[in-house]
Amino acid sequence: MTALLSTSAVGKHYGSGAARMPIIDGLELSIAKGEFVSLVGPSGCGKTTLLMCLAGLLAPSEGQVRFNGQLVTAPPIGLSVVFQDYSRSLLPWKSNLDNVLFGMRRVQLSGPEKRARAVEILAAVGLSGFEAHYPWQVSGGMQQRVAIARGIAAQSQLLLLDEPLAAVDAQTRADMQDLLLDLAKRFNQTCVLVTHDVEEAVYMANRVLVLGPRPTKVVREVIVDLPMPRDQLATREDPAFLHARHEVMALIRGMRQGKALA
Amino acid sequence: MNWAIWAERLRVPICAALLLGAWQLVYALGVVPEKYFPSIPTIATAFWAMLNDGTVLSAWAVTFGRATVGLIGAALLGVALAIISDLSPVLSRGIRYISDVLQPIPPAAFVPMAVFMLGLGTKLYAFVIILVTIWPPYLNGVAALAGVGSVQLNTGRMFGLTNWQLLWQVKLPAALPEIFTGIRYAATISLIAVIVAEMLAGRDGIGFMIFKKAFALRTPEVFGLMFLVGLNGVLLNGLVNLLRQGLTGWHIKMMERPE
Ligand SMILES: Nc1ncnc2c1ncn2[C@@H]1O[C@H](COP(=O)(O)OP(=O)(O)OP(=O)(O)O)[C@@H](O)[C@H]1O
Ligand SMILES: [Mg+2]
């Protein structure tokens, strides 16, 4: 099977000379169509930097990123990032609907068709009736959903989600997890989810990639052998879930202790 | 019932009444000789006479036109320079030195040199007004464009915007509220520059009229014209505000929202 997204020996550093700071080093990954992959790693290890490289928003210092077999040199059509700082990624002078339409600039549809599609996707994220509101007139959780809707609307095949649920309360978080899984299925989205929360990483994914400390690379792949759709109660009690969670947590704890000793 | 609301609604007439009342009080106390500080009714009568013979209206039109055109020119030029500065850091630093040197120079100091270089006419006004009015839109523009968030820019690039589209569709809309703050300052400066230029080198306009009347010791007329200059400021600011509301109404609403 050919990968939707793949990297070969991607490296990235900031600065040069004495100030050179390596962030990513020899990172290999491959994401197949239809997968839901979680990325976990210590904080500050370079997850956001990696997503920027995958999305063509940052040029890797070494190695290559390929999307649909094509070398990524600029943001390709069919790939959307939902930024960690989602409230700042929405344009405050545009209504929620216009923000979604802004994401559809490169979509080959007529004006009215685009509009209808945007309204449909906003409804799918539970924002019917808020099309004419500005982002700053709705709650943080709703802004997050506008950003997700905009990502999907951009004719996306691959969604890169950078800690999308970090700022919401526990109940909303569970609802949003299920909404995301539902959206991924309904709109045929392959997803890469960056998260700090190991439980969430396992709950959402078919596969968890554990990233090492800076300069980061994939240090372990954990397969989550659980059926979709997931269920907040049954899935979290399944032995396969507990097993995967244990494996990821142990790895991360090991890294933290290693760092504390160093 | 609610004083705060009424005070808010009637703020313009209240301020005007306070100003006129204070004026009359100073007059009534006789601190300054009447010759140099006439009463409000005297000023009003003199102003009415000037209105009737048509001189004031044409002078006003000339002056207000110059200030408005000058402001538009300076704002457009300032923003254009800010965009260029945003593209080229080297140029930005160069213009920064120029602005540091030119900004403290009052408009009056530019006039004599401008008269020699450009003669008495439109070019003189354009030169003086733009030289002193351009800086607030320019400096605010540079700061605002530099302040546009990287997340917003990355969002635009992710959806395939070219650098040029990024400028028009993301950077400028994001920077516009701050640019307008600069344009509001510039409106007042433009008006001052026009009056000064008219006083020193003009053949028409309110500034010229003030100068003429002052030499003739027509104090009531001078004060009447000064009030008119003040009104011009209110009017020009009102026009700028209308434009600001039209272009950045979202920002005004966002700032006013309760929370
Ligand atoms: N533009 C930049 N220039 C220099 N250093 C940077 C830049 N962006 C990020 N860094 C540094 O690179 C490292 C990795 O940052 P990055 O944001 O990719 O990490 P992260 O894993 O997403 O962190 P978090 O868990 O906080 O989201 C950090 O130490 C950060 O300070
Ligand atoms: Mg991050």
Side-chain angles (χ1 to χ4, degrees), chain A residues 209-261:
Chain A
L209 299 179
V210 182
L211 298 173
R214 211 170 56 222
T216 197
K217 58 168 166 267
V218 178
V219 294
R220 181 80 66 89
E221 171 188 277
V222 176
I223 306 286
V224 183
D225 189 15
L226 283 165
M228 293 278 184
R230 305 280 160 94
D231 179 88
Q232 289 286 352
L233 289 177
T235 303
R236 288 176 190 273
E237 286 160 7
D238 195 299
F241 176 87
L242 296 173
H243 183 262
R245 191 192 73 156
H246 182 96
E247 192 177 346
V248 176
M249 268 191 175
L251 265 168
I252 290 190
R253 194 172 59 182
M255 273 184 238
R256 229 186 271 131
Q257 278 167 353
K259 196 176 161 194
L261 291 175

Side-chain angles (χ1 to χ4, degrees), chain A:
Chain A
M1 185 158 59
T2 62
L4 180 62
L5 181 82
S6 64
T7 67
S8 59
V10 161
K12 177 76 193 171
H13 60 261
Y14 288 121
S16 60
R20 183 187 149 107
M21 179 157 82
I23 309 289
I24 302 170
D25 187 28
L27 186 137
E28 306 269 353
L29 61 70
S30 172
I31 314 270
K33 212 169 167 51
E35 272 194 301
F36 202 118
V37 174
S38 292
L39 290 179
V40 292
S43 116
C45 74
K47 301 180 292 290
T48 298
T49 305
L50 172 60
L51 284 198
M52 294 300 113
C53 288
L54 296 181
L57 288 166
L58 264 184
S61 318
E62 298 114 34
Q64 295 179 340
V65 177
R66 286 183 181 274
F67 178 66
N68 273 324
Q70 301 278 323
L71 194 64
V72 171
T73 51
I77 298 180
L79 187 160
S80 296
V81 184
V82 176
F83 293 91
Q84 190 165 6
D85 212 347
Y86 54 85
S87 67
R88 275 189 232 168
S89 113
L90 296 172
L91 306 180
W93 58 91
K94 287 184 185 288
S95 68
N96 291 335
L97 181 69
D98 285 337
N99 264 288
V100 175
L101 286 170
F102 181 70
M104 299 176 78
R105 308 177 54 256
R106 292 194 285 189
V107 176
Q108 307 280 335
L109 288 174
S110 72
E113 283 170 332
K114 274 190 195 177
R115 245 184 125 72
R117 177 87 177 146
V119 168
E120 179 201 338
I121 296 176
L122 275 172
V125 299
L127 286 177
S128 287
F130 291 94
E131 294 89 350
H133 286 64
Y134 287 99
W136 38 268
Q137 290 175 317
V138 300
S139 71
M142 288 161 115
Q143 290 173 22
Q144 175 65 287
R145 281 180 278 155
V146 176
I148 293 170
R150 184 180 64 182
I152 294 173
Q155 221 175 28
S156 153
Q157 301 169 269
L158 177 64
L159 275 186
L160 305 179
L161 302 141
D162 197 354
E163 296 188 43
L165 309 181
V168 299
D169 60 89
Q171 186 51 50
T172 314
R173 192 171 181 130
D175 293 342
M176 285 288 290
Q177 288 168 350
D178 291 329
L179 176 67
L180 265 180
L181 284 172
D182 186 51
L183 292 170
K185 187 163 160 247
R186 181 159 160 198
F187 294 102
N188 290 318
Q189 300 294 305
T190 305
C191 293
V192 173
L193 171 79
V194 168
T195 175
H196 269 124
D197 179 347
V198 174
E199 298 243 357
E200 177 171 282
V202 175
Y203 178 76
M204 308 279 287
N206 312 108
R207 201 150 60 96
V208 180
L209 299 179
V210 182
L211 298 173
R214 211 170 56 222
T216 197
K217 58 168 166 267
V218 178
V219 294
R220 181 80 66 89
E221 171 188 277
V222 176
I223 306 286
V224 183
D225 189 15
L226 283 165
M228 293 278 184
R230 305 280 160 94
D231 179 88
Q232 289 286 352
L233 289 177
T235 303
R236 288 176 190 273
E237 286 160 7
D238 195 299
F241 176 87
L242 296 173
H243 183 262
R245 191 192 73 156
H246 182 96
E247 192 177 346
V248 176
M249 268 191 175
L251 265 168
I252 290 190
R253 194 172 59 182
M255 273 184 238
R256 229 186 271 131
Q257 278 167 353
K259 196 176 161 194
L261 291 175

Side-chain angles (χ1 to χ4, degrees), chain B residues 28-68:
Chain B
L29 290 175
V31 212
V32 189
E34 184 177 353
K35 196 173 168 193
Y36 304 118
F37 200 89
S39 72
I40 295 290
T42 316
I43 295 173
T45 316
F47 191 75
W48 183 246
M50 285 194 293
L51 262 183
N52 279 336
D53 69 22
T55 46
V56 149
L57 219 56
S58 60
W60 171 81
V62 168
T63 300
F64 193 73
R66 278 179 189 143
T68 310

Side-chain angles (χ1 to χ4, degrees), chain B residues 14 62 103 168 191 194 216:
Chain B
I14 288 173
V62 168
Q103 254 200 113
W168 285 101
L191 212 52
V194 174

